[in-house]
Amino acid sequence: MEGLVGYLNEIYDNCKLPFNVYVDGESVFETNPVESSKDFSEHTFFMGKNKIVIEIEKNHKDALKFIEFCIKTKYKDKYSNKEKVVVDLLNNNFVTKEKIDDLPYSENITYLISINIREKLEEAIEALKNIYDNTEVIILKYNESINLIGVFEDIEEHVSSINETINTSVYKKCYISYSKIDDYENLMSIYLKCMNKIELGKKYKILNNIYSQEDLLFEEMLEGLNDDIKVKINEKFEEAFSQMDEDIIKTIETFMKLDLNLSEAAKQLYVHRNTLIYRLDKIQKYTGCDIRKFNDACLFKIAFYVWKQKINTNKNYLKQN
């Protein structure tokens, strides 16, 4: 527990009462070792997964709760100060190097994880704080998103666990994007990129809901197409796409997601390989593109996502009116 011994020294300097502290059975602090011949009292409490035992002479037992309060307050204050520093960085406010240096950092494994969830943000935050309790991970709400900052050695495992925790604790779908923090002074930019990935994933209805900074590059390219090109693409393909039912649409999305792999796509769609081939032939008949071929698949994917973007835009407009 980082800084605990320093905090205990401060408490002792102020109260001058000798006491000992054990964390998970190991002695971490002794001001005046309690002799076995003396009567003493002890008090046990937990901070996260750590069991903390305070030991003090019996005639000073009333101080046990006070020492517990001081320890918990110190940790709470330190965590709260770090949150304020992160919010200042996200708002692009000036933060001193001294304060930045107090944030968790380890080269190449320090990450920002941003989470978008429509409802139950507070419940989701509490669930995440439970699994990251007693760690240096900072968890805070910012602009209606949940953000975690910390050192994550296996980032894929962490984001998968976070996704599962939210799904099972608040029963809501979430979108997650994560990125390395190379320099805390770039935190606002990193956050905006994470949120942009999430918006792209929602906009194009990507099946996956977890995005690294290497993901959705294709969708970012589509965002760069000018409107005239999108209109021309829709003029050519819109009629064909409009004839496709839900099974065909799902087939396209799955086949593309699995890198044009027939066997894997058939398995994930729970259809026979011949059924999948029949559907792909049908797509070729509608559009003139055989998406089993790389060049056709590239053109088709651009057209398909431009069409999906138009459909989603129209749906959103109708909802608002």
Side-chain angles (χ1 to χ4, degrees):
M1 297 178 66
E2 185 185 350
L4 178 60
V5 175
Y7 297 155
L8 297 174
N9 270 314
E10 286 182 26
I11 294 168
Y12 176 66
D13 287 342
N14 282 302
C15 71
K16 296 302 180 183
L17 292 175
F19 63 90
N20 305 325
V21 176
Y22 303 86
V23 176
D24 297 330
E26 292 186 10
S27 174
V28 297
F29 184 78
E30 293 184 345
T31 53
N32 186 16
V34 178
E35 297 175 11
S36 58
S37 60
K38 289 187 177 181
D39 287 335
F40 64 91
S41 295
E42 64 177 39
H43 174 63
T44 302
F45 65 97
F46 286 83
M47 286 188 63
K49 297 175 182 177
N50 295 112
K51 178 182 178 182
I52 300 177
V53 177
I54 308 169
E55 191 178 70
I56 198 167
E57 290 182 17
K58 205 159 192 175
N59 56 323
H60 298 308
K61 67 178 181 179
D62 292 342
L64 287 169
K65 283 288 187 179
F66 169 74
I67 296 170
E68 177 191 356
F69 172 79
C70 289
I71 293 171
K72 287 184 173 179
T73 301
K74 281 284 187 180
Y75 269 89
K76 186 178 179 181
D77 288 347
K78 183 176 182 184
Y79 186 87
S80 178
N81 288 336
K82 287 183 179 181
E83 279 192 354
K84 291 174 184 175
V85 171
V86 169
V87 170
D88 278 339
L89 290 168
L90 289 170
N91 288 330
N92 208 27
N93 295 333
F94 173 76
V95 177
T96 64
K97 186 177 183 303
E98 183 182 8
K99 289 182 178 179
I100 291 175
D101 288 344
D102 198 36
L103 297 176
Y105 185 79
S106 183
E107 190 173 0
N108 292 323
I109 53 173
T110 305
Y111 286 87
L112 166 68
I113 303 172
S114 295
I115 306 164
N116 174 267
I117 180 171
R118 288 185 63 184
E119 299 172 334
K120 298 187 176 180
L121 264 74
E122 299 300 334
E123 291 94 325
I125 289 172
E126 284 306 308
L128 293 174
K129 283 186 175 180
N130 284 335
I131 65 172
Y132 287 106
D133 196 14
N134 196 36
T135 71
E136 288 294 300
V137 174
I138 300 168
I139 304 173
L140 74 158
K141 183 171 79 170
Y142 180 78
N143 282 352
E144 297 307 311
S145 64
I146 302 170
N147 297 273
L148 291 81
I149 291 175
V151 175
F152 304 98
E153 290 190 9
D154 189 340
I155 186 62
E156 286 81 11
E157 184 178 322
H158 279 279
V159 293
S160 177
S161 175
I162 288 167
N163 184 49
E164 184 178 349
T165 297
I166 292 176
N167 286 337
T168 56
S169 61
V170 300
Y171 306 105
K172 292 291 179 181
K173 181 178 181 179
C174 66
Y175 294 87
I176 301 172
S177 181
Y178 60 95
S179 179
K180 281 183 184 177
I181 299 175
D182 52 353
D183 186 338
Y184 273 106
E185 291 186 2
N186 298 327
L187 189 61
M188 184 184 76
S189 173
I190 295 168
Y191 168 77
L192 292 174
K193 287 177 181 177
C194 283
M195 296 310 297
N196 182 57
K197 293 286 185 183
I198 289 172
E199 290 307 311
L200 284 175
K202 291 164 67 176
K203 181 176 183 178
Y204 289 99
K205 297 191 181 297
I206 305 301
L207 294 177
N208 185 23
N209 66 313
I210 300 174
Y211 319 115
S212 73
Q213 288 308 296
E214 287 70 46
D215 293 329
L216 306 187
L217 297 180
F218 178 81
E219 287 73 19
E220 286 183 340
M221 181 196 74
L222 287 182
E223 288 296 290
L225 291 177
N226 66 48
D227 291 340
D228 288 342
I229 293 175
K230 290 179 182 179
V231 168
K232 289 178 181 178
I233 290 172
N234 273 317
E235 285 175 351
K236 182 174 180 179
F237 288 94
E238 187 169 19
E239 184 178 348
F241 288 138
S242 298
Q243 297 178 57
M244 298 179 183
D245 59 26
E246 288 185 12
D247 286 339
I248 296 294
I249 297 296
K250 188 175 180 181
T251 297
I252 292 167
E253 292 174 339
T254 304
F255 191 61
M256 292 287 183
K257 177 187 173 184
L258 296 173
D259 300 324
L260 317 184
N261 187 309
L262 273 169
S263 299
E264 289 300 316
K267 189 185 299 182
Q268 187 156 326
L269 289 164
Y270 300 104
V271 298
H272 192 276
R273 182 184 172 94
N274 289 342
T275 302
L276 176 56
I277 291 172
Y278 169 76
R279 291 181 183 178
L280 295 177
D281 288 340
K282 200 171 182 181
I283 291 166
Q284 184 177 4
K285 180 181 176 182
Y286 284 146
T287 65
C289 294
D290 183 355
I291 61 175
R292 288 160 287 198
K293 297 177 180 178
F294 178 77
N295 287 340
D296 279 14
C298 288
L299 172 62
F300 182 91
K301 187 172 183 178
I302 293 171
F304 181 66
Y305 277 91
V306 168
W307 173 73
K308 279 182 69 177
Q309 181 184 359
K310 181 181 178 183
I311 294 297
N312 292 334
T313 300
N314 290 343
K315 284 181 180 178
N316 291 334
Y317 176 79
L318 290 172
K319 282 181 182 178
Q320 293 171 6
N321 294 275

